[in-house]
Amino acid sequence: MSCPQGEPVGFSASAQIRCSDVGGTYRPRQPQTTTLYRIFQEHLETFIAQKESDGLFLPAFVKDELRAFLDCGVLEKGLARIHCYNCGYDFAIGFSCKGRGFCPSCCGKRMAATSAHLVDNVFPHVAVRQYVLTLPIHFRYLISYKPKILNRIMNIFLKAVRSHLQLKLNIQKSKSHFGAITVIQRNGSALNTNPHFHALALDGLYQEKDGILDWQSAPALTDEEVIKLLHSMRSKIIRLLQKAGIIDDDACLIADPFSDDDQILGSITRTALTAPKSGQLFCLQTQENYHLQQKSHLCAAVEGFSLHAATWISAHDRRKLENLCRYITRPPVANDRISLLPNGMVSYRLKNAFSDGSTRVVFEPLKFIEKLAALIPPKKAHLIHFHGILAPHAKNRKQVVPQPPDSDKLDYADQENRSTKICNSTWAKLIKRVFIDDPLACPKCGEKMKIISFITDPASIAAFLKSHGLSDQMTSGP
């Protein structure tokens, strides 16, 4: 039996383990009580209608994800029944919307599942270095919905890192094996659309000798090497964008090379970002004497391009590695940082203050929804990429990745058509792994509870909620 609409939820980037009347036990979240839910409930249809009245039609996948958020975790839309066979205690959790763009619960669950999978089943016990590549602001507008171009930039980025390691270790390409995973984050800290690249690369290479892989650690990285890497990446990215028709031969940005009938760019990106004004051109220096700035240790910047490589994880610090994996796969939105001002504006608190001292950004409700809509990735765009020997079908992958017992393996967050058993174990293990408490421990007797059914019929849902005293909870929201 598969989960009808996804998986049971009650999981987000913010803690969902609360103290109930019977002690410290898991209690499912109540999405209707959040500020984010209230904003969508009151303004989403107005936002969609306004766009359509302006002739800017949102792509179907964007509208579907925006509307599905209003059903995420809501019991009256469908629920999983969890039962204790020892004492007869029951409770319910709602289905997830499986959103990939901004839903704090679904993105938080995907963050935890992906991080656990990477640490338990992918990264070998060797040192790992994080490389972060960001692009000029005026490029972001034009490539945010161009997954092929983003992937080509990512390949330039990873090939430069690999070539650097091969040169530094003096190992031939044919006899070396590089490994990395990359996440293309689509947003900045202020909910601005900002596609940039986080790569966790093995800090060294596997050298193949007579079919045996021998790990070779890379010497310490230097500031000069970071500057050289950025120089190489920048030159190749500029050539790529010239061939793609995004900038001209003089490295000046073409004002808007996309046609008006491009629905994605027309309805989301043009309005959600600070786009170039009509006729305005941005130029990059192509001379070899352009100014390279060393921002800090192992971090360089030039003409809007920047490369950060200061984060390094030792071979056996798995907890720090998992925290870093969570950081690069984190949700773009946090519920506890959203608030409504008395004038109806939406305030989003920044995690770290800007250089000018700003601690929050303020939006009109419709502009806030527009910002989140721009963060929804196209359906076929992968959220995480595997490279080299860490790729799923790499020939020698099994020789280097960890091989945990079957009972400890966690399924990847995006798998479809999971069985009841998989839904049960994955959801429960993730919550226990992140929040310590076991969500399937009965709050009355302490015995293990089980997910016994998925209820989707409206009449059956209403009957279950009424019999368990949950009907009032469904109407307690805004």
Side-chain angles (χ1 to χ4, degrees), residues 311-314 317-325:
T311 304
W312 183 85
I313 309 294
S314 64
D317 195 345
R318 308 300 279 185
R319 174 54 61 185
K320 188 174 180 181
L321 177 60
E322 185 166 353
N323 288 339
L324 182 58
C325 290

Side-chain angles (χ1 to χ4, degrees), residues 3 56 64-65 75 178 189 194 229 260 296 334 396 436:
C3 301
L56 302 174
D64 290 345
E65 183 157 332
L75 297 182
F178 168 77
S189 60
N194 175 16
L229 267 173
D260 291 335
S296 60
N396 298 303
I436 307 300

